[in-house]
Amino acid sequence: MKEHRLKIGNIEAALPILQGGMGVGISLGNLAGAVAKAGGIGVISAAQIGFREPDFDTDTKGANLRAIKKEYEKARAIAPDGIIGFNLMVAMNHYEEYVRAAIDAGADIIISGAGLPMDLPEIAGKSGVKLAPIVSTEKSARVILKYWGKKYSRMPDLLVIEGPKAGGHLGFTKEQLKEYDEDEAYDTEVRRLLDTVKMYEEKYECRIPTALGGGIENRKQALHAFSLGVDAIQAATRFVTTEECDADIRYKEAYIHANQDDIVIVKSPVGMPGRAIMNPFMKKVMAGERIPHSPCHGCLHSCNPAEIPYCITDALIHAAKGEVNDALLFCGKYAYKAKGLETVKEVVDSLLAERV
């Protein structure tokens, strides 16, 4: 299969691959810049992006807004002509301000999930930034397409489909995760979703490119994704164990040393299922232990600090800093397959380069 360029409105990526957004501090300017330089779409996660700023504890929002600009500039210096975007979670406090900060920084595209970004077109206004909602099911795709069409008379510039084998927070219930455990079950859901996309393309006389992510670890899986009819793939876990990834080396080594049985479904403090590496921290949580946490940094609007078993901001900052025994180590289903460090180019080539 000959790889094609990915057209998103009036911008075009040389390769049909997006790097998934990974917060806190895993996909920042260095990784996003490297992916954009390689011809894909590099994505900076804005989730608690300012955790290294000196005033993060006292002015979290200010630190995050400042870091959005810094990390974008870092990525842009690496890839002056590349496509660089931000991943922004709808569930974040101050979501609208972070979206506008990313746009002001110069983002080419906003990719948004952890809830449906119903009013993202209104927030983006006439900025011209490309908008890419994240969906996991046909139902969620239909909801966002119908709403954007009716209220804003527009469609997404890109639709990102995240499957059940992805890392971090998952857009599925535990029951759905069991239902979609077999590849063919979720393939059927993707085909239904793409049929809905086609219906809205015809209705609004436009093109809605799609990207599929979640468990795409090798060339065979990438080819399978394309065979379903999507225009691009999204990969995240594969980019963690790259030299360019912004995470601490000890976080990367946690992937490299993990076994298949270490990859588990966990419950985050905000009640969402997620996928992570079992470690001493998670064993304590699963045993019912409450982990003391820092004063609230106001990350997610669905969090009640008085009731949570642990602070997800604290746990993810520990991960980014390499304090792996005290960390929530989010990962995709196939993280255990990492055997060593690679470069971003090697990862991209392994997923997309044609075989002779």
Side-chain angles (χ1 to χ4, degrees), residues 169-346:
H169 285 129
L170 302 169
F172 302 90
T173 63
K174 284 187 176 181
E175 292 72 26
Q176 285 176 319
L177 289 174
K178 291 178 183 178
E179 178 186 350
Y180 295 135
D181 192 50
E182 296 297 326
D183 288 343
E184 185 54 41
Y186 194 63
D187 286 355
T188 299
E189 183 70 15
V190 171
R191 293 187 185 99
R192 290 179 62 240
L193 195 158
L194 293 177
D195 284 344
T196 296
V197 169
K198 184 177 180 181
M199 181 179 73
Y200 277 88
E201 285 180 323
E202 292 172 353
K203 182 176 181 179
Y204 287 92
E205 299 181 341
C206 66
R207 178 82 172 91
I208 308 171
T210 53
L212 176 61
I216 297 179
E217 190 269 336
N218 57 39
R219 175 63 172 165
K220 181 179 179 181
Q221 291 164 341
L223 284 172
H224 178 72
F226 286 118
S227 75
L228 295 174
V230 298
D231 301 283
I233 57 170
Q234 176 179 271
T237 294
R238 279 295 308 276
F239 286 114
V240 169
T241 51
T242 59
E243 295 173 5
E244 298 94 334
C245 178
D246 297 271
D248 186 276
I249 183 62
R250 291 166 291 182
Y251 182 91
K252 302 175 188 183
E253 289 172 345
Y255 278 44
I256 294 167
H257 298 319
N259 296 314
Q260 184 173 359
D261 293 342
D262 295 327
I263 313 300
V264 295
I265 299 296
V266 302
K267 184 178 179 181
S268 89
V270 294
M272 299 169 66
R275 182 172 281 110
I277 298 173
M278 180 62 72
N279 65 344
F281 172 82
M282 192 47 60
K283 288 178 181 177
K284 291 179 184 178
V285 172
M286 288 187 162
E289 185 174 334
R290 291 177 68 89
I291 311 297
H293 55 79
S294 64
C296 182
H297 291 88
C299 59
L300 302 174
H301 52 64
S302 55
C303 178
N304 184 341
E307 298 179 358
I308 56 174
Y310 66 94
C311 171
I312 195 165
T313 287
D314 287 353
L316 292 176
I317 287 175
H318 284 309
K321 290 182 174 179
E323 298 159 354
V324 295
N325 288 333
D326 299 310
L328 173 58
L329 303 173
F330 273 153
C331 68
K333 184 171 183 176
Y334 300 118
Y336 68 91
K337 292 191 175 185
K339 302 305 179 187
L341 291 182
E342 303 174 273
T343 65
V344 161
K345 186 178 186 306
E346 286 171 337

Side-chain angles (χ1 to χ4, degrees), residues 107-127:
D108 296 303
I109 185 169
I110 300 293
I111 299 166
S112 191
L116 291 178
M118 305 299 280
D119 296 315
L120 184 56
E122 183 177 346
I123 301 167
K126 298 180 180 180
S127 64

